[in-house]
Amino acid sequence: MAQVPQTFLDALAVRTWCGLALRALGRVREEIDAINVYPVADGDTGTNLYLTAESAATAVEAVFAGHEQGADGPSLADALRAMAHGALIGARGNSGTILAQLLRGMAQVLAAPEAGDTPHTDGTGLRLALRRAADAAREAVAHPVEGTVLTVASAAADAADAADGAEGGCGTVALAAYEGARTALAATPGQLAVLGRAGVVDAGGRGLVTVLGALVEALTGEPVPQEPPTGPVEPVEPAACADAPEHTGEGGPAYEVIYLLEADDAAVARLRERLDTLGDSLVVVGGDGLWNVHVHVDDAGAAVEAGVEAGRPYRIRITHFAVGDVHTGGQRPPRERVQRAVVAVVPGEGLAGLYADAGATTVLARPGEPPASGELAQALRRAHAREVVLLPNDAELRHTAAAAAEQARAEGVRVALIPTRSAVQGIAALAVHEPERRFDEDVVQMTSAAGATRYAEVLVAERQSWTTAGICQAGDVLGLIDGDVAVIGRDLTGTAETVLDRMLQAGGELVTLVVGDGAPETVADRLEARVRESYLAVDTVVYRGGRQGSLLLIGVE
């Protein structure tokens, strides 16, 4: 039996919408990935939209679960705020970031303080929300380009404005917005030259049409009309449409950098100006102290450092665009996947930049916030390669990494999981990585290099505890060698020297030091001097790890 069309949008309809949108994006994910040619032909728009919607849906479900014990369910404002927040913290890629801002724009209208805890909104409220969503998304993009999801969102808002919601309410407005979006999507190849040359519609716009179709179904109970094919469409001559102004060169930036940022509005305004000089595809979404920052740059470290200057960046993801991932504002068509790539989990911003400079796709693991298997699986997709070497760099992540590897293998990617237990072992593995070798040979050499690297970390005990070296008190400095507490001391530098001496007793040719933000400025100099004075023919290399949890990481190979 068909559902009675809803005149109003309430919390339950938001919950239904999230579930339907997630399932719909899951069905068309690969289809959208396949037509992803702008701004980078990296084949992940469908995946990014799905993961963003998944985060939004999970947040909404959590709100409903929190109200199960009470008599009343969540309000419309509760559901919308949860949806917008979930999308913000889980946004992936350019398209996912813009979708998060679209949802936030809706919440700004329908969950505004002046709206109170009203249980629902009508067609007029939905029209205003869709207009604010389109405007907010456009404001978040540094250089808006027509023929993209921004155009499709504006067309949806225009169509909603023209709809007569007095009779059919929210269902009528949503259907009008959906039809307006479909029409605009079909016109995108004539607005953006790269789409016209490829004979496809905009991938992000296609995803938005899917999300709006789910909204219509949530409000009317009826599936939307069959959507038009995403491609190929009739190719458009390049002279008939415009190129994106920010992508006029032959290639483009080498890295995608995304992070969440805690900062005030003034600092974010300065950050926008700074990042705009570093790269392109800049999208900054959010507000009220929490932001999601997305940019394509050649200097990933500088983009992260700009975030550090603005506030507290975290959940940093740096992706090295593969050779075939073309910034398609230029003249080259999208190419095939690269043959091989490396994906690595890293504990700090400094190491993220180091690994990215070496060509790896990175996933940042903050203390107490290890990445989930879905995040690792997404990174494996983002590597855009037929063969991927996965470096978890943490013994606790072995099962998570194995699950992500299995997921990627099911999607046709050949994955080798090297059981690195520390970032210094990952550095050793990456140093011998040679993409031109046969895959098996490369994996063997990387595994051997990692296994030959002893690892240690120096950190401060948070509480009293029994350890393999005795009882430690809160505030003691702990030196762990190969995962076990070997030294308990009071002074960081002294403890680090003891740890280093014990490691070098078994020999070694190279010492790697990764210094965290909380370590004294002099610790690296002291350890370098000790190695130089006491251990002939042993070299030392020092990296800055940033906020990495441990004060110091040590590797000896």
Side-chain angles (χ1 to χ4, degrees):
M1 179 180 296
Q3 174 182 313
V4 177
Q6 284 194 217
T7 304
F8 301 106
L9 176 70
D10 58 13
L12 187 58
V14 171
R15 183 188 199 183
T16 303
W17 176 26
C18 287
L20 289 172
L22 185 61
R23 288 193 288 274
L25 287 171
R27 288 193 297 270
V28 299
R29 178 181 65 80
E30 292 184 359
E31 182 183 345
I32 296 176
D33 282 345
I35 64 167
N36 173 201
V37 298
Y38 180 84
V40 182
D42 51 356
D44 65 353
T45 291
T47 299
N48 286 335
L49 288 169
Y50 177 85
L51 291 171
T52 304
E54 182 180 45
S55 184
T58 299
V60 172
E61 288 301 320
V63 165
F64 272 85
H67 283 77
E68 284 181 355
Q69 304 302 321
D72 299 324
S75 67
L76 173 62
D78 291 335
L80 286 168
R81 289 193 196 102
M83 177 182 67
H85 181 75
L88 176 66
I89 65 173
R92 299 289 195 275
N94 189 74
S95 54
T97 307
I98 292 174
L99 175 61
Q101 189 70 348
L102 287 166
L103 298 179
R104 176 177 171 81
M106 294 186 68
Q108 284 177 323
V109 172
L110 301 179
E114 55 267 26
D117 277 335
T118 178
H120 56 249
T121 190
D122 57 12
T124 299
L126 183 57
R127 277 200 299 268
L128 293 172
L130 290 169
R131 171 56 61 194
R132 177 57 192 147
D135 292 346
R138 193 168 286 269
E139 292 164 4
V141 177
H143 301 285
V145 174
E146 298 306 325
T148 66
V149 62
L150 299 178
T151 305
V152 176
S154 294
D158 290 343
D161 284 342
D164 181 9
E167 189 169 328
C170 285
T172 298
V173 172
L175 182 58
Y178 169 75
E179 293 292 354
R182 287 181 76 206
T183 301
L185 176 66
T188 55
Q191 296 174 293
L192 193 56
V194 61
L195 302 179
R197 287 192 293 267
V200 297
V201 297
D202 179 66
R206 172 68 171 87
L208 178 57
V209 168
T210 300
V211 171
L212 290 173
L215 177 60
V216 173
E217 186 174 353
L219 292 170
T220 67
E222 298 292 335
V224 293
Q226 182 64 41
E227 295 171 16
T230 58
V233 298
E234 189 66 29
V236 178
E237 288 298 321
C241 47
D243 259 318
E246 71 263 47
H247 294 306
T248 55
E250 176 66 12
Y255 302 101
E256 177 185 60
V257 178
I258 306 175
Y259 48 80
L260 292 178
L261 176 70
E262 294 178 358
D264 59 35
D265 291 2
V268 170
R270 293 191 296 271
L271 175 66
R272 288 180 193 268
E273 294 178 0
R274 172 65 176 142
L275 292 179
D276 198 25
T277 66
L278 292 176
D280 56 37
S281 295
L282 173 61
V283 185
V284 181
V285 305
D288 301 320
L290 180 63
W291 309 83
N292 190 307
V293 179
H294 170 280
V295 68
H296 295 170
V297 293
D298 279 321
D299 189 343
V304 174
E305 288 170 5
V308 173
E309 292 173 3
R312 187 177 80 90
Y314 59 103
R315 291 194 185 178
I316 300 169
R317 293 187 296 278
I318 300 175
T319 302
H320 183 270
F321 289 127
V323 174
D325 295 343
V326 181
H327 277 64
T328 48
Q331 301 300 313
R332 293 181 290 174
R335 292 185 244 164
E336 293 292 321
R337 292 175 178 269
V338 294
Q339 185 62 30
R340 191 174 309 158
V342 176
V343 172
V345 180
V346 293
E349 298 94 335
L351 282 181
L354 172 68
Y355 272 76
D357 288 344
T361 295
T362 62
V363 179
L364 189 70
R366 295 182 66 245
E369 295 183 15
S373 61
E375 189 171 357
L376 293 185
Q378 167 65 350
L380 292 171
R381 296 187 191 100
R382 290 284 306 179
H384 203 57
R386 298 183 183 91
E387 302 168 339
V388 181
V389 179
L390 178 56
L391 305 174
N393 291 340
D394 187 340
E396 299 298 321
L397 288 177
R398 59 188 184 279
H399 297 305
T400 301
E406 282 303 315
Q407 186 173 342
R409 291 181 187 121
E411 297 172 5
V413 180
R414 189 179 184 188
V415 181
L417 172 58
I418 297 179
T420 49
R421 293 172 290 175
S422 171
V424 292
Q425 288 189 323
I427 292 172
L430 199 56
V432 300
H433 169 55
E434 290 187 15
E436 303 307 317
R437 275 196 298 237
R438 287 195 311 110
F439 186 61
D440 291 340
E441 292 179 359
D442 198 27
V443 171
V444 167
Q445 292 299 319
M446 293 177 73
T447 303
S448 177
T453 302
R454 299 189 69 196
Y455 65 96
E457 62 178 322
V458 180
L459 47 80
V460 176
E462 296 181 354
R463 58 185 178 276
Q464 184 185 62
S465 179
W466 288 88
T467 76
T468 51
I471 300 175
C472 71
Q473 306 295 327
D476 283 347
V477 179
L478 306 182
L480 286 74
I481 300 177
D482 294 336
D484 293 323
V485 177
V487 180
I488 300 175
R490 286 290 185 184
D491 171 68
L492 185 141
T493 302
T495 302
E497 288 177 334
T498 302
V499 168
L500 185 57
D501 286 340
R502 291 194 185 184
M503 296 178 75
L504 286 172
Q505 284 176 1
E509 299 175 353
L510 176 66
V511 172
T512 299
L513 304 174
V514 182
V515 184
D517 279 350
E521 291 290 334
T522 58
V523 66
D525 293 338
R526 285 278 298 274
L527 294 177
E528 280 189 286
R530 189 175 189 84
V531 171
R532 187 169 54 251
E533 295 166 2
S534 303
Y535 302 95
L536 298 178
V538 177
D539 295 323
T540 305
V541 59
V542 179
Y543 301 110
R544 297 294 168 180
R547 303 171 189 173
Q548 63 181 21
S550 300
L551 297 173
L552 179 68
L553 297 176
I554 304 173
V556 174
E557 49 185 301

